[in-house]
Each structure stands twice: as structure tokens, then as C-alpha cells.
Amino acid sequence: MTKLKLALLAGAFALFPAVGSLAAPPESIVIDDCMAKKSAVEFPHAAHFKDHECSTCHHTQEGLTKDSDEQVKPCSECHNEPEKKSTPSCSQSSLKKNQFHINCVDCHKAEKAGPTKCNDCHPKQ
Ligand code: HEC
Ligand code: HEC
Ligand code: HEC
Ligand code: HEC
């Protein structure tokens, strides 16, 4: 998300602070914020949150649930142009330096389920 869009969002929340009920977490997401060298990644979100705590991935929002009255911050808000060089970034191809690779691939390896090969997540175009 661009800084401008974030600023507009922040503005909208300043005008309407009582958020009320937020939209349910999306069933499925196409992750393409950093798409450059590799194709966009299909992420079956619901298949993940049925068995895993939200904060496993939304790690800055401890206690987040399906019914939370809380705005969910996309990873891109902090990881696309991270303040610190040491913070993983979605534009990195390394399995150790991209927040998605660390989050997604490390869990798939640990749980022996889910894709771990480059082309399984980034289908050849
Ligand atoms: C479990 C799924 C998964 C696997 C396996 C995976 N990636 Fe990714 N990768 C992602 C996601 C999600 C992103 C973020 C995509 C975006 O924002 O466009 C990403 C981003 C990238 C990016 C930066 C964005 C871009 O398009 O330039 C590169 C490069 C990349 N991956 C290369 C690789 C390589 C090389 C491998 C194999 C060693 C690999 N990935 C394996 C999920 C995966
Ligand atoms: C396995 C990891 C994982 C789990 C578990 C998970 N999410 Fe997500 N969620 C993601 C990713 C990745 C995105 C896409 C973020 C992005 O595009 O930067 C996302 C996006 C979202 C979004 C949309 C945010 C936006 O505005 O783009 C919402 C809302 C959300 N999740 C809520 C939840 C809730 C509530 C739970 C628990 C019931 C949950 N998620 C569990 C990984 C996860
Ligand atoms: C509010 C800001 C923020 C949001 C939103 C955020 N992160 Fe992070 N994340 C950070 C920062 C800062 C670090 C590095 C700080 C640290 O080392 O603890 C980090 C570190 C990580 C790491 C590395 C942890 C490790 O042990 O090496 C992973 C993986 C990660 N984030 C994944 C995600 C994913 C996936 C999402 C979205 C579902 C997400 N983050 C959303 C700020 C954020
Ligand atoms: C905490 C562990 C965990 C994390 C984090 C995680 N996954 Fe998974 N993933 C799994 C498990 C377990 C399965 C197998 C689920 C099943 O078969 O029902 C899976 C399956 C998948 C599948 C295959 C679904 C299918 O229908 O065969 C895809 C694609 C996938 N994950 C993508 C991702 C991406 C992209 C990310 C990161 C944004 C991610 N996963 C993060 C545990 C995780």
C-alpha cells in the first residue's frame, strides 16, 4: 500500500473512530504487493486460520480472533519498506530474508505440509 493510501486510511479513521464491525477475514488472498521477478502467490487464508492462531502470522496483533473488532494490519504496512535493514522484506528472494518465506516456508517444512518449492508458490508464467 502506498504512503498516500495509508494517509487517506488514517484520515478516514480519524473521521469515523467508531469502527463497529469489520469485514470477516478473506477466504483467499492473492499476495502480489512485491511482485517483480516472481509471479503472484495464491494464499488459501481460511484453510490456514481454521487450524492456526491468527497471531501466528499477524504477529504484532496478539489475541486477534475471527470476531475481533480490530483493524488487521497487512504485512506490507511494515515489511514492504522496513524502517530497519534487519527487518525481513517481501522483495527479497532469500528464504531467510523475506518475511513470507520465513513465515510460510519454515512452517510448511516444520509441519511437513504445504508447498516448499519455488514454483509451487510462484507458478511459471
Ligand atoms: C510457501 C510459498 C513460497 C515459496 C515456497 C517461495 N516463495 Fe517466494 N514469495 C512468496 C510470497 C508470498 C512472496 C511475496 C509476493 C509478493 O508480495 O508479490 C514471495 C516473494 C518472492 C520474491 C520477491 C518478489 C518478486 O516477485 O520479486 C522473490 C524473488 C521470490 N519470492 C523468490 C522465491 C524463490 C527463488 C523461491 C524458492 C527458493 C521461493 N520464492 C519460494 C511465497 C513463496
Ligand atoms: C498462516 C498465516 C495467517 C493466519 C493464521 C491468518 N492470517 Fe490473516 N493474513 C495473512 C496474510 C499473509 C495476509 C495478507 C497480508 C498482505 O497482503 O500483506 C492476511 C490478510 C488478512 C486480512 C486482510 C488485511 C488487509 O487489509 O489486507 C485480514 C482481515 C486477516 N488476514 C485476518 C485474519 C484473522 C482474523 C485471522 C485469524 C482468524 C487470520 N487472519 C489468520 C496470513 C494469515
Ligand atoms: C506493525 C508492523 C508489522 C506488521 C503489520 C507485520 N510485521 Fe512482521 N515484523 C515486524 C518487525 C519490525 C519485524 C522485525 C523485528 C523483530 O526482529 O522482531 C518483523 C519480523 C517478522 C518476521 C521475522 C521473525 C523472525 O523470527 O525472524 C516474520 C517472519 C514476519 N515479521 C512476518 C510477518 C507477516 C507474515 C506479517 C503479516 C501477516 C507481518 N509480519 C506483519 C513488523 C511487522
Ligand atoms: C503456521 C503454519 C503455516 C504457515 C505460517 C503457512 N502455512 Fe500454508 N499450509 C500449512 C499447512 C499445515 C498446510 C496443509 C493444509 C491442508 O492440507 O489442509 C498448508 C497448505 C498450504 C497450501 C496448499 C493448500 C492446498 O489446498 O493444498 C498453500 C498454497 C499454502 N499453504 C500457502 C501458504 C502461504 C503463501 C503462506 C504464507 C503467506 C503459508 N502457506 C503460511 C501451514 C502453514
Short mmCIF file of all heavy atoms in Angstrom, two decimals, residues 1-2 11 13 15 18 27 37-38 43 49 52 54 56 68 70 72 75 79 86 90-91 99 104 118 121 123:
data_model
loop_
_atom_site.label_atom_id
_atom_site.label_comp_id
_atom_site.label_asym_id
_atom_site.label_seq_id
_atom_site.Cartn_x
_atom_site.Cartn_y
_atom_site.Cartn_z
N MET A 1 0.84 -1.20 0.00
CA MET A 1 0.00 0.00 0.00
C MET A 1 0.88 1.25 0.00
O MET A 1 1.91 1.28 0.65
CB MET A 1 -0.86 -0.02 1.25
CG MET A 1 -2.21 0.62 1.02
SD MET A 1 -3.14 0.76 2.55
CE MET A 1 -3.67 -0.89 2.80
N THR A 2 0.49 2.23 -0.73
CA THR A 2 1.32 3.44 -0.78
C THR A 2 1.14 4.26 0.49
O THR A 2 0.15 4.12 1.20
CB THR A 2 0.90 4.33 -1.98
OG1 THR A 2 -0.44 4.72 -1.77
CG2 THR A 2 1.04 3.59 -3.30
N GLY A 11 -6.78 9.06 7.78
CA GLY A 11 -7.73 10.17 7.79
C GLY A 11 -9.15 9.69 7.98
O GLY A 11 -9.90 10.22 8.80
N PHE A 13 -10.14 7.01 9.44
CA PHE A 13 -10.38 6.54 10.80
C PHE A 13 -10.47 7.69 11.80
O PHE A 13 -11.17 7.59 12.80
CB PHE A 13 -9.34 5.50 11.22
CG PHE A 13 -9.67 4.17 10.65
CD1 PHE A 13 -9.01 3.68 9.53
CD2 PHE A 13 -10.72 3.42 11.17
CE1 PHE A 13 -9.36 2.47 8.97
CE2 PHE A 13 -11.09 2.21 10.61
CZ PHE A 13 -10.41 1.73 9.51
N LEU A 15 -11.87 10.47 11.10
CA LEU A 15 -13.23 11.00 10.93
C LEU A 15 -14.28 10.07 11.54
O LEU A 15 -15.27 10.51 12.07
CB LEU A 15 -13.55 11.19 9.45
CG LEU A 15 -12.94 12.42 8.79
CD1 LEU A 15 -13.19 12.40 7.27
CD2 LEU A 15 -13.54 13.70 9.37
N ALA A 18 -15.40 5.27 15.55
CA ALA A 18 -16.13 4.08 16.00
C ALA A 18 -16.28 3.14 14.81
O ALA A 18 -17.15 3.32 13.95
CB ALA A 18 -17.50 4.49 16.53
N GLU A 27 -11.41 -15.26 2.62
CA GLU A 27 -11.22 -16.71 2.40
C GLU A 27 -9.89 -17.00 1.72
O GLU A 27 -9.22 -17.97 2.04
CB GLU A 27 -12.32 -17.24 1.47
CG GLU A 27 -13.69 -17.40 2.09
CD GLU A 27 -13.79 -18.69 2.89
OE1 GLU A 27 -13.48 -19.76 2.33
OE2 GLU A 27 -14.18 -18.62 4.07
N LYS A 37 10.20 -10.18 -9.83
CA LYS A 37 10.86 -11.28 -10.54
C LYS A 37 9.97 -12.51 -10.60
O LYS A 37 10.06 -13.32 -11.52
CB LYS A 37 12.18 -11.63 -9.85
CG LYS A 37 13.23 -10.55 -10.02
CD LYS A 37 14.54 -10.97 -9.39
CE LYS A 37 14.98 -10.19 -8.26
NZ LYS A 37 14.95 -10.06 -7.00
N LYS A 38 9.14 -12.68 -9.58
CA LYS A 38 8.33 -13.91 -9.48
C LYS A 38 6.85 -13.61 -9.57
O LYS A 38 6.41 -12.50 -9.25
CB LYS A 38 8.64 -14.60 -8.15
CG LYS A 38 10.04 -15.20 -8.08
CD LYS A 38 10.10 -16.47 -8.89
CE LYS A 38 11.47 -17.13 -8.78
NZ LYS A 38 11.54 -18.33 -9.61
N PHE A 43 -2.86 -17.57 -1.85
CA PHE A 43 -2.80 -17.96 -0.43
C PHE A 43 -4.19 -18.31 0.08
O PHE A 43 -5.04 -17.44 0.26
CB PHE A 43 -2.19 -16.80 0.36
CG PHE A 43 -2.18 -17.02 1.85
CD1 PHE A 43 -1.71 -18.21 2.42
CD2 PHE A 43 -2.64 -16.02 2.70
CE1 PHE A 43 -1.70 -18.39 3.79
CE2 PHE A 43 -2.62 -16.20 4.08
CZ PHE A 43 -2.16 -17.38 4.63
N PHE A 49 -6.39 -20.31 8.81
CA PHE A 49 -6.84 -19.88 10.14
C PHE A 49 -7.80 -20.86 10.80
O PHE A 49 -8.13 -20.70 11.96
CB PHE A 49 -7.32 -18.42 10.16
CG PHE A 49 -8.48 -18.02 9.29
CD1 PHE A 49 -9.75 -18.54 9.52
CD2 PHE A 49 -8.32 -17.09 8.28
CE1 PHE A 49 -10.84 -18.13 8.74
CE2 PHE A 49 -9.40 -16.68 7.49
CZ PHE A 49 -10.65 -17.21 7.72
N HIS A 52 -4.78 -22.59 12.75
CA HIS A 52 -3.68 -21.82 13.35
C HIS A 52 -4.20 -20.51 13.91
O HIS A 52 -5.08 -19.88 13.31
CB HIS A 52 -2.59 -21.55 12.30
CG HIS A 52 -1.91 -22.79 11.80
ND1 HIS A 52 -2.29 -23.42 10.64
CD2 HIS A 52 -0.89 -23.52 12.31
CE1 HIS A 52 -1.54 -24.50 10.45
NE2 HIS A 52 -0.68 -24.59 11.46
N CYS A 54 -4.52 -16.67 14.69
CA CYS A 54 -4.27 -15.53 13.82
C CYS A 54 -2.88 -14.94 14.06
O CYS A 54 -2.18 -14.57 13.13
CB CYS A 54 -5.30 -14.43 14.08
SG CYS A 54 -7.02 -14.97 14.11
N THR A 56 -0.15 -16.23 14.82
CA THR A 56 0.98 -16.98 14.27
C THR A 56 1.57 -16.18 13.11
O THR A 56 2.79 -16.15 12.92
CB THR A 56 0.50 -18.34 13.68
OG1 THR A 56 -0.37 -18.96 14.59
CG2 THR A 56 1.66 -19.26 13.35
N SER A 68 -12.67 -10.36 16.14
CA SER A 68 -12.08 -9.16 16.74
C SER A 68 -12.62 -7.90 16.10
O SER A 68 -12.86 -7.85 14.89
CB SER A 68 -10.56 -9.15 16.56
OG SER A 68 -9.96 -10.17 17.28
N GLU A 70 -11.06 -5.28 15.46
CA GLU A 70 -9.73 -4.70 15.38
C GLU A 70 -9.33 -4.62 13.91
O GLU A 70 -9.53 -5.58 13.17
CB GLU A 70 -8.78 -5.66 16.11
CG GLU A 70 -7.46 -5.09 16.53
CD GLU A 70 -6.64 -6.17 17.27
OE1 GLU A 70 -7.22 -7.04 17.97
OE2 GLU A 70 -5.43 -6.16 17.12
N VAL A 72 -7.09 -5.13 10.92
CA VAL A 72 -5.93 -6.00 10.71
C VAL A 72 -4.93 -5.30 9.80
O VAL A 72 -5.26 -4.85 8.71
CB VAL A 72 -6.37 -7.35 10.10
CG1 VAL A 72 -5.16 -8.21 9.75
CG2 VAL A 72 -7.28 -8.09 11.08
N CYS A 75 0.72 -7.19 6.18
CA CYS A 75 2.17 -7.34 6.37
C CYS A 75 2.91 -6.19 5.68
O CYS A 75 3.93 -5.70 6.17
CB CYS A 75 2.66 -8.66 5.80
SG CYS A 75 1.55 -10.05 6.05
N HIS A 79 6.52 -4.34 6.25
CA HIS A 79 7.57 -5.14 5.60
C HIS A 79 7.94 -4.70 4.18
O HIS A 79 8.95 -5.16 3.66
CB HIS A 79 7.18 -6.62 5.59
CG HIS A 79 7.32 -7.27 6.93
ND1 HIS A 79 8.54 -7.69 7.43
CD2 HIS A 79 6.41 -7.57 7.88
CE1 HIS A 79 8.36 -8.23 8.63
NE2 HIS A 79 7.07 -8.16 8.93
N SER A 86 17.46 -4.80 9.06
CA SER A 86 17.40 -6.19 9.53
C SER A 86 15.99 -6.79 9.45
O SER A 86 15.81 -8.00 9.53
CB SER A 86 17.91 -6.26 10.97
OG SER A 86 17.13 -5.40 11.78
N CYS A 90 9.51 -8.19 1.70
CA CYS A 90 8.87 -9.06 0.72
C CYS A 90 9.51 -9.00 -0.65
O CYS A 90 9.17 -9.76 -1.53
CB CYS A 90 7.37 -8.79 0.63
SG CYS A 90 6.93 -7.29 -0.22
N SER A 91 10.47 -8.09 -0.85
CA SER A 91 11.14 -8.04 -2.16
C SER A 91 12.38 -8.93 -2.22
O SER A 91 13.00 -9.06 -3.26
CB SER A 91 11.51 -6.60 -2.50
OG SER A 91 12.34 -6.07 -1.51
N GLN A 99 9.90 -11.93 4.70
CA GLN A 99 9.01 -12.31 5.80
C GLN A 99 8.05 -13.42 5.41
O GLN A 99 7.66 -14.24 6.25
CB GLN A 99 8.24 -11.10 6.35
CG GLN A 99 6.94 -10.71 5.66
CD GLN A 99 7.18 -9.83 4.45
OE1 GLN A 99 8.30 -9.69 3.99
NE2 GLN A 99 6.13 -9.23 3.94
N CYS A 104 5.93 -18.58 5.76
CA CYS A 104 5.25 -19.65 5.02
C CYS A 104 6.13 -20.90 4.91
O CYS A 104 5.70 -22.00 5.27
CB CYS A 104 4.88 -19.23 3.60
SG CYS A 104 4.20 -17.56 3.37
N CYS A 118 9.93 -23.35 -4.95
CA CYS A 118 9.68 -22.03 -5.55
C CYS A 118 8.46 -22.05 -6.48
O CYS A 118 7.55 -21.25 -6.32
CB CYS A 118 10.89 -21.57 -6.36
SG CYS A 118 12.47 -21.79 -5.54
N CYS A 121 4.69 -22.16 -5.26
CA CYS A 121 4.04 -20.92 -4.83
C CYS A 121 4.04 -19.86 -5.93
O CYS A 121 3.12 -19.06 -6.02
CB CYS A 121 4.77 -20.35 -3.61
SG CYS A 121 4.41 -21.27 -2.11
N PRO A 123 3.94 -19.92 -9.58
CA PRO A 123 3.83 -20.70 -10.82
C PRO A 123 4.52 -19.98 -11.99
O PRO A 123 4.47 -18.75 -12.06
CB PRO A 123 2.33 -20.83 -11.04
CG PRO A 123 1.66 -19.96 -10.06
CD PRO A 123 2.64 -19.54 -9.04
#
